[in-house]
Each structure stands twice: as structure tokens, then as C-alpha cells.
Amino acid sequence: MKHLIYSLLLVAISSTLLQAQSFRSLDKSPMDVAYLPDNFAHDRSPGEKAIIKIYYSQPQKNGRDIFGTIVPYGKVWRTGANENPEIKVYQDITLGGKKLKAGTYSLFTIPGEKEWTLIINSDLDYWGAYSYKQENDVLRVNVPSASTSDVVEAFSIRLEDKGNKSAVLRLAWDKTMIEVPVGY
């Protein structure tokens, strides 16, 4: 009888522990990372150092009209989905010709039909742009937007090294892309 009670107690405790170990399902907007140099963590050479790292979520187009509809023009956008992107700058750089000191920041944008404002802000770890405070902006850069020839299904960020200590930061989704010059 003792053995039976002990076994039942063990099963009850085990099932409680297993239920406590549940995980959330796959996010509809998975996280991704963009590096300068591109694909740094995978391709890094001994002694090489990263210049920029951006963590961001990738919402999907899924047949929707994006800019001007899902993402309104003229309003601060979290620039992706879920938490606003986090940009880590390992050394002082220029972004759109403006100086940015090494540090960790959030990245927001204000999309427009022909021009976007890229915003680097000191507030971190917020979901969406609901708690955005303009007074915490560190840098703002206005850049033209362009149409892409192909649809970009998942919102994407890429940093491309152009040589001579220059690069370009690209943000694209649907048929829209912006490019911001980077110096390092």
C-alpha cells in the first residue's frame, strides 16, 4: 500500500512539474539579427570585431497592404513587430552623416510616402511604440524611401559594408525600402 501511495504521489508531482515547463508557441513575427559586418557571428575571423548589431522582429506581409494602411504614414512606428528593435553600436559611428556614440539604443521610424525619419532613442525594452518619448531621442535622420522591384514578404534589416569604412543600413518590407549611410 505504501508503494502505491508513493507511486501516485510521484506521478502527481511529475505531472505538475511538466505542466509548469510549458512554452509559448512559435511567434508570428520571429526575431532576427543584422550585423555589420554582415553575418558577423557566423563568419567572424579571429580578432575581428562587430561594428553594429540590430535585434528586430520580422512581421509578415501575408497579402496585406502595409505602408499607409497597417503601418500609417506620419506616425512613430516600432519598426517591425513586438518590441522595438535594439541597436548596439560597438564604436562611434555616423548614421546619415550624424554622429552616434557607442552604446545600446532603440530604433524607431516615422514612415512617409516619399521620406522616412529614422530615430535612435535611449529608451530600451519596450513593446511597440506606445511608450515612445521624443525627448529621449539621441538622433534623427531623414532619408528618402524607394520602391523595390520585388515584394519583401518579411520585414528585413540588413547592413552592407561598402568598403572604405562605409556601409549602408537597409530596411525593407512589402515594396518599400530605405537606405541610411553609415560611417565607422
Side-chain angles (χ1 to χ4, degrees), residues 113 145-150 174-178:
E113 289 184 61
S145 65
S147 293
T148 61
S149 56
D150 295 322
D174 195 2
K175 290 194 129 212
T176 301
M177 180 175 66
I178 65 166

Side-chain angles (χ1 to χ4, degrees), residues 68-90:
T69 307
I70 299 292
V71 177
Y73 291 128
K75 292 189 174 188
V76 173
W77 177 43
R78 70 178 109 198
T79 314
N82 305 328
E83 290 183 36
N84 48 293
E86 187 174 285
I87 179 170
K88 185 173 185 177
V89 180
Y90 294 89

Side-chain angles (χ1 to χ4, degrees), residues 34-176:
Y35 271 106
L36 179 63
D38 188 35
N39 213 23
F40 175 76
H42 183 271
D43 298 339
R44 102 188 265 179
S45 301
E48 186 178 27
K49 295 186 183 198
I51 299 161
I52 301 171
K53 181 180 188 178
I54 304 172
Y55 291 103
Y56 67 101
S57 290
Q58 291 189 286
Q60 310 295 306
K61 177 174 168 47
N62 289 332
R64 303 175 294 175
D65 290 328
I66 301 301
F67 297 107
T69 307
I70 299 292
V71 177
Y73 291 128
K75 292 189 174 188
V76 173
W77 177 43
R78 70 178 109 198
T79 314
N82 305 328
E83 290 183 36
N84 48 293
E86 187 174 285
I87 179 170
K88 185 173 185 177
V89 180
Y90 294 89
Q91 65 185 50
D92 294 355
I93 64 168
T94 60
L95 197 56
K98 296 182 179 181
K99 292 180 181 181
L100 180 63
K101 291 187 179 279
T104 303
Y105 307 96
S106 58
L107 187 152
F108 295 94
T109 50
I110 302 174
E113 289 184 61
K114 297 180 194 263
E115 183 179 79
W116 284 33
T117 302
L118 181 103
I119 302 166
I120 303 297
N121 188 281
S122 62
D123 283 338
L124 297 171
D125 303 316
Y126 284 104
W127 195 91
Y130 308 107
S131 298
Y132 167 78
K133 294 182 185 95
Q134 184 172 347
E135 61 267 20
N136 295 326
D137 289 355
V138 174
L139 180 143
R140 279 181 169 231
V141 177
N142 293 326
V143 294
S145 65
S147 293
T148 61
S149 56
D150 295 322
V151 171
V152 177
E153 178 62 32
F155 172 71
S156 297
I157 296 177
R158 179 156 185 248
L159 288 149
E160 181 183 353
D161 197 331
K162 299 300 232 174
N164 295 325
K165 296 196 176 262
S166 69
V168 64
L169 167 62
R170 287 192 183 97
L171 285 73
W173 195 19
D174 195 2
K175 290 194 129 212
T176 301

